[in-house]
Amino acid sequence: MVLKQTYAIVNLCANQNIRLSVNLSAMDLEDSSLIDFMQHLHRLQPDASRHIVLEITESAAMRDPEQALDILNQLAAMHFQIAVDDFGTGYSSLAHLKRFPVTELKIDRSLVQGADLDTDGQIILESTIEMGHIMGLLVTTEGVETQAEFDLVKKLGADYVQGFWLSKPMPFDEFKLKHLVGNHDQLVQHL
């Protein structure tokens, strides 16, 4: 299971100030055994949850908002950060969203793509970033693929950027070598 693998590497990442994100599906939010499983992991490594972001989609949380709220409150009590992933693509209910113990809003690529060339798109993106900040949330823009998109989301005040502009997905062993062990210059210097 992904959560077990995440817990196995969390100490490596925590030492480098890297957050690990794990997606929770709609089925996860409806699974009554999820909390027991998470509490078990939490008892084994209580500090690990501070370095793990649990990502939910708007649509997953809205399938059964009361059940999702109960599960998310219990996860937040264990100090997990909770992000709403792909924000702007679902049928979001801001009334429900403000009730959830969310710490981060991840704005979907569809709101980022081309916003540097489209005034209306830029207004929507800027408003969404502002709304997230007004709600006291960190804001991540997903799918940033160009320098122009990066420059725009930086100018608009996004807290984090995610996308190919930074890096394409890579196998864990490559990530570990590049980001957890040290960069090439440091390795060469020690030889």
Side-chain angles (χ1 to χ4, degrees), residues 87-168:
F87 186 80
T89 62
Y91 51 92
S92 64
S93 167
L94 294 177
H96 284 302
L97 180 62
K98 73 178 186 178
R99 292 176 50 213
F100 293 154
V102 172
T103 57
E104 182 175 351
L105 198 63
K106 296 186 75 177
I107 298 174
D108 187 72
R109 164 98 183 118
S110 62
L111 296 180
V112 174
Q113 186 175 22
D116 56 307
L117 303 172
D118 175 27
T119 304
D120 291 339
Q122 187 172 337
I123 291 169
I124 292 169
L125 179 59
E126 182 175 21
S127 299
T128 307
I129 292 170
E130 281 184 36
M131 180 195 65
H133 286 152
I134 289 168
M135 293 177 73
L137 304 175
L138 292 172
V139 177
T140 298
T141 49
E142 298 181 303
V144 174
E145 295 184 0
T146 67
Q147 182 69 48
E149 289 173 350
F150 173 77
D151 291 341
L152 176 64
V153 298
K154 183 178 177 183
K155 180 181 103 179
L156 296 179
D159 299 297
Y160 294 101
V161 172
Q162 179 179 322
F164 285 179
W165 183 82
L166 291 173
S167 174
K168 293 192 186 272

Side-chain angles (χ1 to χ4, degrees), residues 6-179:
T6 303
Y7 266 79
I9 64 170
V10 74
N11 287 336
L12 286 172
C13 296
N15 292 336
Q16 298 294 324
N17 200 25
I18 295 173
R19 302 179 316 157
L20 298 171
S21 294
V22 176
N23 292 317
L24 294 181
S25 69
M27 288 175 42
D28 290 329
L29 293 176
E30 295 171 352
D31 184 353
S32 58
S33 67
L34 175 68
I35 292 300
D36 290 337
F37 178 72
M38 297 300 284
Q39 287 173 335
H40 170 73
L41 292 175
H42 187 65
R43 279 191 296 277
L44 296 174
Q45 289 177 267
D47 290 335
S49 61
R50 296 182 190 279
H51 304 284
I52 298 173
V53 179
L54 300 175
E55 296 185 10
I56 60 167
T57 61
E58 296 172 75
S59 56
M62 293 304 130
R63 271 178 51 168
D64 186 346
E66 295 308 315
Q67 170 83 7
L69 178 63
D70 180 51
I71 286 176
L72 294 174
N73 279 332
Q74 290 182 65
L75 293 170
M78 288 182 255
H79 306 289
F80 287 100
Q81 298 172 59
I82 299 173
V84 175
D85 194 20
D86 301 333
F87 186 80
T89 62
Y91 51 92
S92 64
S93 167
L94 294 177
H96 284 302
L97 180 62
K98 73 178 186 178
R99 292 176 50 213
F100 293 154
V102 172
T103 57
E104 182 175 351
L105 198 63
K106 296 186 75 177
I107 298 174
D108 187 72
R109 164 98 183 118
S110 62
L111 296 180
V112 174
Q113 186 175 22
D116 56 307
L117 303 172
D118 175 27
T119 304
D120 291 339
Q122 187 172 337
I123 291 169
I124 292 169
L125 179 59
E126 182 175 21
S127 299
T128 307
I129 292 170
E130 281 184 36
M131 180 195 65
H133 286 152
I134 289 168
M135 293 177 73
L137 304 175
L138 292 172
V139 177
T140 298
T141 49
E142 298 181 303
V144 174
E145 295 184 0
T146 67
Q147 182 69 48
E149 289 173 350
F150 173 77
D151 291 341
L152 176 64
V153 298
K154 183 178 177 183
K155 180 181 103 179
L156 296 179
D159 299 297
Y160 294 101
V161 172
Q162 179 179 322
F164 285 179
W165 183 82
L166 291 173
S167 174
K168 293 192 186 272
M170 65 182 78
F172 177 69
D173 287 339
E174 182 181 343
F175 175 82
K176 183 175 161 183
L177 183 62
K178 285 184 174 181
H179 300 287

